[in-house]
Amino acid sequence: MPQGYVFGHLTGMPLYHWQHPLSYILLTCFCYGLIAAVLARHFAGLSRRSRVLWTGITALLTVVASSPMGGMLWHYHDMQAGYFPSFWRSRMVEYGVSWGLAAGWAIVGLSVPYNVLGLLVCYWLTSWGSRWFHPPQSVV
């Protein structure tokens, strides 16, 4: 990012994703992997144009699935930085899910050009993985 800052710096948020990048990256990759695995059989039989469309749909579903958990993770890291209230689990779920759904889209919007690169990787990975369901037919 410009001047070495990450996305939350623009809004004044604590930069937990800078301190714990792997947990946020792995969370998104895990959600993508589950969604892509479910859609792989469908993806395998599509034309290239349809695959591009389904890559976008998979990316949108990944944002919807990972944002609430990312929000909960952010709240967990926030409590680690300060203190854990007696009702920390319910706070993490309640605020984490709602704030994650609200901020997840902003983070995606601020992630250009990284999310474009991510879409290209998603297209390639899903195309490669879908071959396990429908291997190329050899002409005899």
Side-chain angles (χ1 to χ4, degrees):
M1 290 300 292
Q3 302 167 346
Y5 295 117
V6 290
F7 314 113
H9 177 67
L10 298 173
T11 59
M13 293 171 48
L15 305 178
Y16 301 127
H17 50 286
W18 178 259
Q19 297 165 353
H20 310 282
L22 285 180
S23 56
Y24 293 94
I25 292 169
L26 290 174
L27 175 66
T28 305
C29 290
F30 178 75
C31 290
Y32 162 77
L34 289 177
I35 294 166
V38 168
L39 296 176
R41 186 176 302 273
H42 174 72
F43 196 85
L46 297 175
S47 67
R48 180 170 285 167
R49 174 180 260 171
S50 295
R51 285 182 182 200
V52 169
L53 175 67
W54 276 98
T55 299
I57 291 170
T58 303
L60 290 174
L61 291 173
T62 300
V63 172
V64 169
S66 63
S67 291
M69 292 181 282
M72 288 191 296
L73 186 60
W74 187 89
H75 270 280
Y76 177 75
H77 288 139
D78 192 49
M79 288 185 277
Q80 266 187 327
Y83 76 99
F84 280 85
S86 58
F87 55 93
W88 70 272
R89 286 183 187 100
S90 63
R91 178 183 172 143
M92 186 174 66
V93 171
E94 180 183 348
Y95 292 120
V97 169
S98 62
W99 290 10
L101 285 170
W105 299 103
I107 292 169
V108 170
L110 292 169
S111 299
V112 173
Y114 303 112
N115 51 14
V116 174
L117 177 62
L119 284 171
L120 294 172
V121 170
C122 287
Y123 176 84
W124 179 81
L125 279 174
T126 310
S127 292
W128 177 75
S130 69
R131 287 188 224 151
W132 291 356
F133 293 98
H134 289 284
Q137 300 294 324
S138 60
V139 178
V140 180

